[in-house]
Amino acid sequence: MTQDRDHDVPVRIGNCSGFYGDRLSAMREMLTGGELDVLTGDYLAELTMLILGRDRMKHPDRGYARTFLRQLEDCLGLAVDRGVRIVANAGGLNPAGLADAVRALADKLGIAVTVAHVEGDDLLPRCEQLGLGTPLTANAYLGAWGIVDCLESGADVVVTGRVTDASVIVGPAAAHFGWQRTDYDRIAGAVAAGHVIECGTQATGGNYSFFTRDFPDLTALTHPGFPIAEIHADGSSVITKHPGTGGAVTVGTVTAQLLYEIGGARYANPDATLRVDSLELSGDGVDRVRIAGGRGEPPPPTLKVSLNSLGGFRNEMTFVLTGLDIDAKAELVRHQLESSLAVRPAELEWSLARTDHPDADTEQTASALLRCVVRDADAATVGRQFSSAAVELALASYPGFTSTAPPGDGQVYGVFTAGYVAAEEVPHVAVHADGTRVDIPPPSTTSELRPVTEAELPEPGSFGPTRRVPLGVIAGARSGDKGGSANVGVWVGTQGQWTWLAHTLTVDKLRELLPETAELPVSRHVLPNLRALNFVIDGILGKGVAYQARFDPQAKGLGEWLRSRHVDIPEELL
């Protein structure tokens, strides 16, 4: 499975996983659907590290994504036959253990492969020394050069722990072309390509705002194909997919994914900082979008550290309120439940979702949902003591009393925080198939991450009559979680629409449209090349995904809520 280096031919890097639990058949689909040089998979997320941490507590020899092994059992021989190398961060908290498991699997299957791994990201034993507290997991986001070293040593399969999502793509590209560590523009271009394909089918029509417009036959989205990045020696790329697969690759689908879970115009990675505002997108044929113009800068001097802790115990009850007097019913049951609790939990939160409609023709559409969430360090306080107290009100509360679930015990919840550690404090080790250990040095040149000077806005347009319609008539959006914060990227398709959007959708306007953000810090970042704005909303997700501060704990629907809000849009732009 070795490859000759040819700088005139792009390296074709496919993706077969966007998260732990993604489509199990994707590895086989990618290996049989067309030509590939490298197949990658992203199995890790902030929440996944917590899940793997709890798995490791029960089984110290685990802590990795076991579905990756199931995929390899089916596909390892196929990859060898086709000369496709595999790079994945499925090692999670135990990359050495996963590497051993892959070797054992290959022996069982009678397949000769060399397996290497990358480690050093796990900082848990040194947390106190590094000032990181006492978390359950503590993993620094490593870069791509350990992967490069493993591939250059001849590895057919490379598994890593917590590297950045893009690193599993940057590493194969850098190894293929022989890039140097100061080739910042090239590395940044690969970071952009990696950021687009690391979330799998989100680049090919999944979770896409304009799906009804761009996929009038919705059966085209039944089984979207996974994406491929054809990366060139200069760092530019073409995003595509195997022919005949579902979904589509368009400038819109690529724009949406570029905006996913980013901050400002500088997108920091351990090997280079990508200037997102430098990227230029253009069509390159059917299901082909070119990403060019990427500029890179030295990486920041620190590495981000994913810190997951067990925050305590959590429980919830949801009451169904039907018909008339919804507010009074909610007030009654809230007073009754709080008065009946022998011990008040440390956190007790109520939220009323007015999903009811007047004069509704079904009982469900006549009903609202009242949700009570409790958290406490003591399991008993939020366990049966809480949920049984709620159920005991069944014959003594509002008319039509019902709830959505029986009483149950509280469940452990997690808390995510981000730490930062100087890059030179974090070991980065490539472990070859023969056990040779190679220390990967930190970057020799770094640059503090600073906000860019806001891009110049287009001259305000002179538009005619307006019509009050949802913002989403002309604007797409993609949103997601960044620890306890969330981002919402918003883009439009024409220059006229961009002129209007850039001057209309201010921070104040966003707060007006999304009242939940009114008291939170919000920053706006302008990306003219993408005709896009990115908003970062600090604190809207509380203490991270596992904390479940909102009913949408990962903020995946936040952008679609924004698109649904009505604004006055010039008719000529509709």
Side-chain angles (χ1 to χ4, degrees):
M1 289 169 70
T2 58
Q3 298 170 332
D4 295 327
R5 185 176 292 164
D6 186 342
H7 289 201
D8 296 325
V9 177
V11 58
R12 282 175 60 89
I13 302 174
N15 170 282
C16 70
S17 177
F19 66 100
Y20 189 13
D22 209 346
R23 187 191 306 166
L24 203 61
S25 62
M27 184 177 286
R28 172 167 284 275
E29 292 170 15
M30 291 301 287
L31 289 169
T32 59
E35 293 298 316
L36 285 179
D37 298 307
V38 182
L39 183 60
T40 65
D42 176 20
Y43 294 80
L44 303 183
E46 293 165 359
L47 180 61
T48 311
M49 302 305 282
L50 176 67
I51 293 169
L52 295 178
R54 297 191 66 195
D55 189 30
R56 185 172 63 177
M57 288 174 65
K58 300 174 185 175
H59 307 282
D61 58 330
R62 290 186 186 170
Y64 53 76
R66 285 174 284 163
T67 53
F68 177 70
L69 283 176
R70 291 175 60 191
Q71 291 174 304
L72 282 188
E73 186 168 13
D74 177 49
C75 298
L76 185 58
L78 190 59
V80 171
D81 292 343
R82 291 180 172 252
V84 178
R85 304 170 93 173
I86 295 174
V87 180
N89 63 10
L93 301 176
N94 188 8
L98 178 57
D100 287 340
V102 173
R103 293 184 190 103
L105 174 64
D107 289 344
K108 184 181 80 170
L109 297 175
I111 300 171
V113 293
T114 56
V115 182
H117 74 273
V118 177
E119 63 184 30
D121 61 293
D122 191 347
L123 303 181
L124 192 62
R126 299 168 56 216
C127 276
E128 186 174 351
Q129 171 195 342
L130 295 170
L132 298 174
T134 56
L136 174 67
T137 67
N139 296 82
Y141 287 78
L142 300 180
W145 294 100
I147 296 170
V148 172
D149 186 85
C150 290
L151 292 172
E152 290 182 339
S153 77
D156 304 315
V157 179
V158 181
V159 295
T160 76
R162 178 72 276 188
V163 298
T164 68
D165 299 341
S167 289
V168 296
I169 292 94
V170 176
H176 181 85
F177 294 115
W179 291 341
Q180 302 303 302
R181 296 189 63 160
T182 54
D183 288 332
Y184 299 125
D185 289 348
R186 296 181 175 94
I187 295 168
V191 167
H195 183 61
V196 170
I197 74 168
E198 55 93 359
C199 267
T201 52
Q202 281 197 168
T204 60
N207 298 351
Y208 180 54
S209 290
F210 294 121
F211 76 102
T212 56
R213 182 194 71 186
D214 293 359
F215 299 94
D217 178 5
L218 295 183
T219 60
L221 279 175
T222 302
H223 200 78
F226 275 69
I228 298 165
E230 297 176 352
I231 302 179
H232 293 257
D234 64 355
S236 65
S237 64
V238 171
I239 307 302
T240 185
K241 64 186 184 70
H242 283 321
T245 56
V249 177
T250 68
V251 170
T253 66
V254 172
T255 298
Q257 186 54 28
L258 278 173
L259 295 173
Y260 183 61
E261 293 182 347
I262 65 169
R266 285 190 167 101
Y267 182 59
N269 261 248
D271 304 313
T273 293
L274 165 66
R275 288 294 297 263
V276 181
D277 54 349
S278 68
L279 298 175
E280 299 174 357
L281 305 184
S282 59
D284 192 58
V286 177
D287 290 323
R288 294 178 61 83
V289 173
R290 181 172 296 280
I291 305 176
R295 297 204 324 272
E297 299 169 346
T302 58
L303 297 182
K304 182 178 177 181
V305 184
S306 170
L307 302 169
N308 283 287
S309 303
L310 298 181
F313 297 87
R314 178 188 181 282
N315 207 345
E316 70 174 76
M317 290 292 290
T318 301
F319 304 92
V320 182
L321 314 176
T322 304
L324 303 177
D325 304 319
I326 296 295
D327 289 330
K329 289 172 179 174
E331 182 181 357
L332 173 60
V333 72
R334 175 175 178 168
H335 174 73
Q336 288 178 312
L337 180 56
E338 291 189 14
S339 299
S340 65
L341 294 175
V343 179
R344 185 181 178 90
E347 298 179 41
L348 191 152
E349 301 167 355
W350 294 88
S351 60
L352 176 61
R354 293 301 300 263
T355 51
D356 55 304
H357 300 269
D359 194 23
D361 57 4
T362 67
E363 182 177 344
Q364 186 172 3
T365 56
S367 300
L369 298 175
L370 177 66
R371 182 171 174 247
C372 181
V373 176
V374 291
R375 300 181 187 89
D376 200 277
D378 177 49
T381 299
V382 298
R384 299 274 172 166
Q385 179 177 310
F386 161 74
S387 56
S388 294
V391 172
E392 287 171 3
L393 299 173
L395 304 182
S397 190
Y398 61 87
F401 180 103
T402 187
S403 62
T404 60
D409 295 326
Q411 302 296 317
V412 171
Y413 73 89
V415 172
F416 172 86
T417 55
Y420 293 88
V421 172
E424 58 267 22
E425 291 283 352
V426 179
H428 186 171
V429 183
V431 185
H432 298 175
D434 63 1
T436 301
R437 299 176 65 83
V438 178
D439 290 326
I440 306 300
S444 58
T445 304
T446 62
S447 179
E448 291 285 351
L449 196 65
R450 295 182 176 89
V452 302
T453 302
E454 183 168 302
E456 188 173 331
L457 298 180
E459 288 294 321
S462 178
F463 299 108
T466 63
R467 190 187 315 162
R468 193 159 186 82
V469 295
L471 175 63
V473 171
I474 67 168
R478 179 156 289 169
S479 57
D481 58 294
K482 293 179 69 65
S485 302
N487 92 296
V488 182
V490 184
W491 82 95
V492 290
T494 70
Q495 191 59 34
Q497 292 171 345
W498 166 239
T499 297
W500 174 85
L501 183 75
H503 290 281
T504 302
L505 193 56
T506 61
V507 169
D508 286 343
K509 188 65 176 179
L510 181 92
R511 287 196 171 112
E512 175 191 327
L513 296 175
L514 304 183
E516 289 181 28
T517 70
E519 304 301 322
L520 297 173
V522 178
S523 58
R524 184 180 101 144
H525 308 278
V526 180
L527 303 169
N529 284 6
L530 302 179
R531 298 192 183 110
L533 303 170
N534 188 51
F535 295 88
V536 178
I537 305 163
D538 291 333
I540 193 169
L541 301 181
K543 298 176 183 176
V545 173
Y547 183 75
Q548 297 189 36
R550 308 174 73 245
F551 81 101
D552 174 21
Q554 292 181 289
K556 302 302 185 187
L558 197 58
E560 289 302 299
W561 176 28
L562 177 62
R563 293 183 67 239
S564 74
R565 297 310 309 268
H566 286 222
V567 293
D568 296 317
I569 301 178
E571 291 183 349
E572 64 192 88
L573 302 180
L574 297 175

